[in-house]
Amino acid sequence: MEDRDPYVSCPTYDTECFHLRLVQERDAEDLLACYSHPDAQKYFNDDNCTSSFRFSSLSEMRECIGVWLSSYERREYI
């Protein structure tokens, strides 16, 4: 039987247009293109997080990915 604990094996979802998976550090440049775009920023929802998710540098984006991955390892969220 397949393990359904998403913290043991993070699920992936594939559609015709998207492949959703756990974020990786190598995603930083691509994500920065979104998180630094002024037109996209007005739609961001921080869900009571400590960040506004409006980044302007690769180092900021990498730091955020690190927080996301650490939080996943601590089973705080996916």
Side-chain angles (χ1 to χ4, degrees):
M1 181 173 162
E2 178 182 330
D3 191 336
R4 298 200 183 264
D5 183 342
Y7 293 103
V8 172
S9 177
C10 189
T12 61
Y13 299 94
D14 290 299
T15 71
E16 186 176 317
C17 299
F18 295 100
H19 175 71
L20 301 177
R21 58 165 172 72
L22 184 63
V23 68
Q24 299 173 7
E25 289 179 12
R26 66 185 171 117
D27 298 324
E29 278 191 53
D30 291 331
L31 288 172
L32 181 61
C34 173
Y35 284 98
S36 65
H37 196 287
D39 291 336
Q41 288 177 342
K42 57 187 163 189
Y43 297 103
F44 295 165
N45 179 352
D46 61 21
D47 292 327
N48 299 316
C49 293
T50 59
S51 170
S52 66
F53 300 108
R54 288 164 174 81
F55 304 119
S56 59
S57 73
L58 198 52
S59 63
E60 290 174 317
M61 191 74 248
R62 285 185 178 132
E63 184 177 331
C64 183
I65 290 171
V67 170
W68 290 339
L69 291 173
S70 294
S71 296
Y72 175 77
E73 289 175 12
R74 290 189 307 272
R75 296 177 167 248
E76 294 175 349
Y77 62 82
I78 300 172

